[in-house]
Amino acid sequence: MCGIIGYVGKKQAGSILIDALKRLEYRGYDSAGLALLDRGKIFPLKRVGKVCELERAQRHFRHSGTIGIGHTRWATHGNVSEKNAHPHLSNGSHFAIVHNGIIENYLQIKTFLSEKNYTFYSDTDTEILANLIDYHHHKATHLPFAEIVRKSLLHVEGTYGIAVLGKPFPDEIVVARKSSPLLIGLGDGENIIASDAAAIARYTKRVVYLNDGEIASVRPDHFSVMTADESSVDTVCHELDWEIADVNCDGYPHFMLKEIFEQPTAIENAMRGRFTRDGSSTKFGGLSLTPEALRSIDRLFFCACGTAYHACLVGKYLIEKYARIPVDVEYASEFRYRNVPLQRNTLVFVVSQSGETIDTLAALYEAKRKGYPVMGITNVVGSSIARATDAGIYQHAGFEIGVASTKAFTSQLTIFSMLALLLARRRDMDQFDGQQYVFALKSLPKVVGEVLKLSERIRSIAERYCKRERFLFLGRQAMYPIALEGALKLKEIAYVHAEAFPTAEMKHGPIALVSEETVCIFIATQRELLDKTMSSLQEVRARGGKVVVVAGDGEVEWEVFGDEVIRVPEVHGGINPIISVIPLQFFAYYVGILRGCDVDRPRNLAKSVTVE
Ligand code: M6R
């Protein structure tokens, strides 16, 4: 989604802004822009489309400067156009602003400012902020820049991460945050601000994260932070401990394919150092729960969005099966506005690859407001969710760039599987079963490597079905969320209508969709209920539907009834969902490619969803 960058120092800001904006591209956007302060005046430059368009335009831009702000926009208010792209300037060009988030009362503020003769040139909520800041400046020209911004924000309802450039303040950028991430990267005689550490990690590893309600003044040699109620803030400087390699595909045609192939490593990293010495259980240093606390849990509650939500559903099946603890799973976007009754002794987890999903963050705050300690599972160290949770588990899956989550999903499944084992061993699972489970987990990277060899076979299946418009994904028990994930991947990447159901639900309605045009993908890798799945398959065949089966390499003769059979190794139930989803990731990828889709940056989507 939208990305923010700002630079103040001695170097030419333009090229730094463009470089950093490129590193934000993976988040998804539709236009980009920057503004430089050049010899006392602010000059904006914007382009619809990719950052390379902006870069091209910048080569002919007559303005330069050592201070500037930049933005990648994902449209919310107003269509995709240059006029709506950021930065937005105040009337008279005294201030320029870039903004992530949504100003909910913008119409009210617009009416107020219109009455003061301000004119608006875009359809955005952001432009009103530029003029509001200008209004407060003109009311009290002696005020410091940060104070003007602070006073302006007191009138604003909604969410924002902003960076503001002011003509009267030639060596200062003011930034502020409410529910939208922002950090200040500290340099030597220069500072750089961003909404995402990925944008600035090549410039500095020393960062200060802004908290909600904080406003910062950033100059080349100095920065200071205050809160909305004017208290000063003692900041903490963090070292980015993750290497952000230069963003490239390492010879793969797309990040999505690269990340599918990175799964053995991502899974290995999720497990590293997390097995107990006796080889029958797991441990998570970050959870900080005593054995007694773990034993006293009566219920678990998981909250997430999208693919992470599917990981939670798999977690529910595994934990209920192996540890016999009831688990509830909610979409974070629903939970945040529902008054969900939570029982005592419920352990709450929020799960998010990016750690920045606004709905998941809001769900976290809601659970904390109710007095529950909240644990997190996230991939991004230092992300908003990582910092707001009481404790948690890092995935260590490595940077995921493709908008469609793949390796982060299987890494989350690995963590849930390990959590199921941990909880099971605190209850009824004996040492022998625990050792078998650990053995299966340790074999995962190798088994996943085997499944990756199916790439070409799945490509050829995708070639046969890529023109179809209707896909049903069917699975039972833990394979139902895997079916949901398979359908989501196909929708996201190939823009094909796909739905998922628990297999036996077909005859309660969805089977009416089956015709010769329909492709039904059965995920039949678990040992239980195979004969029932076979009956459902026959029902589809009897109605002319095409059948693709993802099956274990056991004895069932799926080939007799399925049009296509994809065989994966038969494995322990605790890791089976991980093995089963990989063919579906490949399938979505190849169908997307064959249909000419931009699989790494699918239309309308963003890598991290930071607005509601
Ligand atoms: O960063 P998060 O895990 O919180 O993201 C949640 C969803 O937005 C995300 O999983 C989305 O569904 C992906 N595009 C899935 O591929």
Side-chain angles (χ1 to χ4, degrees):
M1 224 150 237
C2 305
I4 287 179
I5 186 76
Y7 175 85
V8 53
K10 299 184 204 79
K11 301 189 188 118
Q12 285 304 317
S15 51
I16 294 173
L17 296 178
I18 295 275
D19 173 73
L21 286 176
K22 282 186 184 164
R23 286 159 209 283
L24 292 175
E25 283 191 295
Y26 78 99
R27 296 169 67 98
Y29 68 104
D30 43 53
S31 51
L34 56 82
L36 300 173
L37 192 58
D38 183 9
R39 283 160 286 175
K41 281 190 178 166
I42 296 178
F43 296 95
L45 180 69
K46 311 180 197 186
R47 284 295 178 272
V48 166
K50 303 258 154 98
V51 175
C52 61
E53 299 293 334
L54 185 69
E55 185 176 30
R56 214 166 288 139
Q58 200 230 349
R59 283 191 211 120
H60 308 287
F61 196 40
R62 284 180 291 114
H63 303 287
S64 59
T66 56
I67 176 168
I69 54 176
H71 193 257
T72 46
R73 174 178 187 249
W74 187 87
T76 57
H77 291 59
N79 62 0
V80 179
S81 60
E82 254 176 48
K83 104 178 154 174
N84 289 333
H86 299 208
H88 287 284
L89 268 59
S90 62
N91 288 184
S93 302
H94 280 74
F95 294 94
I97 184 169
V98 290
H99 165 222
N100 292 354
I102 292 177
I103 308 299
E104 284 165 6
N105 60 339
Y106 83 103
L107 284 176
Q108 215 179 313
I109 301 174
K110 189 171 181 179
T111 308
F112 169 81
L113 290 170
S114 299
E115 283 162 8
K116 309 274 180 245
N117 294 325
Y118 279 92
T119 310
F120 296 88
Y121 301 95
S122 78
D123 310 314
T124 66
D125 51 339
T126 304
E127 192 187 5
I128 65 106
L129 255 183
N131 285 321
L132 189 62
I133 291 166
D134 185 73
Y135 169 75
H136 280 281
H137 173 60
H138 279 101
K139 253 177 79 177
T141 47
H142 61 283
L143 286 181
F145 193 4
E147 182 56 12
I148 297 166
V149 174
R150 189 190 72 81
K151 277 188 180 297
S152 307
L153 291 175
L154 291 178
H155 302 277
V156 168
E157 285 163 24
T159 58
Y160 50 79
I162 55 168
V164 195
L165 199 59
K167 180 172 150 180
F169 307 97
D171 67 343
E172 187 177 2
I173 296 174
V174 170
V175 291
R177 150 182 186 149
K178 187 176 165 207
S179 298
S180 194
L182 266 183
L183 53 101
I184 308 168
L186 307 179
D188 187 11
E190 60 182 4
N191 287 312
I192 183 159
I193 57 108
S195 52
D196 184 330
I200 60 169
R202 78 174 284 207
Y203 298 100
T204 178
K205 293 275 188 285
R206 292 190 307 130
V207 300
V208 171
Y209 293 97
L210 282 198
N211 293 311
D212 268 356
E214 291 180 352
I215 299 159
S217 150
V218 185
R219 295 165 192 258
D221 295 304
H222 175 76
F223 76 94
S224 59
V225 183
M226 66 171 162
T227 61
D229 59 8
E230 287 181 278
S231 320
S232 65
V233 174
D234 289 332
T235 54
V236 184
C237 178
H238 296 261
E239 278 294 311
L240 290 178
D241 63 353
W242 35 306
E243 272 309 314
I244 302 164
D246 265 354
V247 179
N248 68 60
C249 281
D250 286 344
Y252 287 94
H254 299 96
F255 284 109
M256 183 176 172
L257 191 63
K258 175 183 174 224
E259 287 159 5
I260 290 174
F261 275 97
E262 282 173 349
Q263 290 181 106
T265 312
I267 288 168
E268 184 119 47
N269 289 343
M271 296 192 291
R272 196 180 306 285
R274 287 174 169 170
F275 292 108
T276 55
R277 210 182 275 183
D278 72 346
S280 75
S281 189
T282 53
K283 56 182 183 182
F284 293 102
L287 271 192
S288 16
L289 288 173
T290 60
E292 295 70 36
L294 276 175
R295 245 212 87 83
S296 67
I297 295 164
D298 289 332
R299 229 179 160 83
L300 288 151
F301 185 82
F302 298 158
C303 226
C305 299
T307 287
Y309 172 81
H310 298 156
C312 293
L313 287 178
V314 174
K316 170 185 167 73
Y317 278 97
L318 297 182
I319 290 168
E320 290 185 347
K321 175 173 171 170
Y322 292 105
R324 313 288 309 141
I325 303 174
V327 182
D328 298 306
V329 183
E330 275 265 345
Y331 281 115
S333 52
E334 288 294 305
F335 176 79
R336 63 181 292 190
Y337 292 118
R338 240 156 63 72
N339 192 8
V340 173
L342 293 178
Q343 288 181 8
R344 285 182 59 194
N345 296 333
T346 297
L347 187 60
V348 178
F349 273 87
V350 291
V351 183
S352 169
Q353 185 286 129
S354 62
E356 299 295 351
T357 300
I358 195 158
D359 286 321
T360 312
L361 196 55
L364 187 170
Y365 292 140
E366 175 63 8
K368 285 186 87 152
R369 194 190 58 74
K370 284 175 184 268
Y372 289 85
V374 182
M375 312 281 128
I377 298 177
T378 183
N379 193 29
V380 180
V381 176
S383 58
S384 300
I385 288 175
R387 288 180 302 116
T389 39
D390 296 287
I393 303 170
Y394 278 123
Q395 298 179 223
H396 303 304
F399 206 37
E400 191 178 66
I401 291 176
V403 165
S405 189
T406 52
K407 66 174 180 175
F409 178 62
T410 48
S411 143
Q412 285 162 357
L413 296 189
T414 306
I415 287 167
F416 274 124
S417 181
M418 296 172 78
L419 193 59
L421 174 59
L422 172 68
L423 295 167
R425 288 286 290 128
R426 292 271 163 228
R427 302 194 172 213
D428 291 333
M429 186 183 276
D430 66 27
Q431 192 178 22
F432 177 73
D433 286 350
Q435 282 166 346
Q436 299 283 93
Y437 203 130
V438 167
F439 185 75
L441 281 165
K442 286 187 173 169
S443 72
L444 248 177
K446 193 155 171 274
V447 185
V448 169
E450 288 301 309
V451 181
L452 293 177
K453 292 182 187 156
L454 292 168
S455 173
E456 280 308 307
R457 158 106 181 95
I458 298 169
R459 184 193 175 96
S460 66
I461 297 175
E463 277 166 2
R464 280 194 282 288
Y465 298 105
C466 64
K467 299 230 165 67
R468 302 289 177 120
E469 295 298 335
R470 193 186 302 144
F471 289 81
L472 299 181
F473 287 75
L474 304 159
R476 299 197 71 144
Q477 305 193 353
M479 295 308 140
Y480 168 52
I482 295 303
L484 284 170
E485 178 60 10
L488 179 66
K489 288 281 96 79
L490 197 61
K491 282 185 268 210
E492 284 187 296
I493 297 309
Y495 317 147
V496 183
H497 190 196
E499 290 198 60
F501 301 98
T503 312
E505 282 300 299
M506 281 291 275
K507 54 191 170 301
H508 298 292
I511 199 162
L513 290 169
V514 174
S515 70
E516 286 174 6
E517 278 308 300
T518 316
V519 182
C520 292
I521 302 186
F522 286 82
I523 300 112
T525 50
Q526 86 275 37
R527 284 179 203 136
E528 306 86 28
L529 297 171
L530 285 184
D531 48 341
K532 306 277 180 203
T533 300
M534 183 62 87
S535 307
S536 307
L537 186 156
Q538 303 275 21
E539 286 159 16
V540 168
R541 289 272 298 192
R543 285 154 185 85
K546 289 282 168 210
V547 170
V548 178
V549 190
V550 181
D553 56 6
E555 273 141 38
V556 184
E557 289 191 67
W558 297 103
E559 283 77 2
V560 177
F561 305 104
D563 295 287
E564 316 284 346
V565 181
I566 301 165
R567 294 278 185 180
V568 296
E570 261 197 26
V571 290
H572 187 285
I575 63 168
N576 206 6
I578 300 167
I579 300 304
S580 306
V581 78
I582 294 169
L584 309 184
Q585 297 172 340
F586 275 132
F587 186 72
Y589 171 77
Y590 285 122
V591 173
I593 297 297
L594 293 161
R595 290 173 74 107
C597 302
D598 183 351
V599 294
D600 279 340
R601 290 186 208 126
R603 68 183 179 205
N604 307 337
L605 295 180
K607 182 66 184 160
S608 94
V609 181
T610 49
V611 292
E612 269 196 89

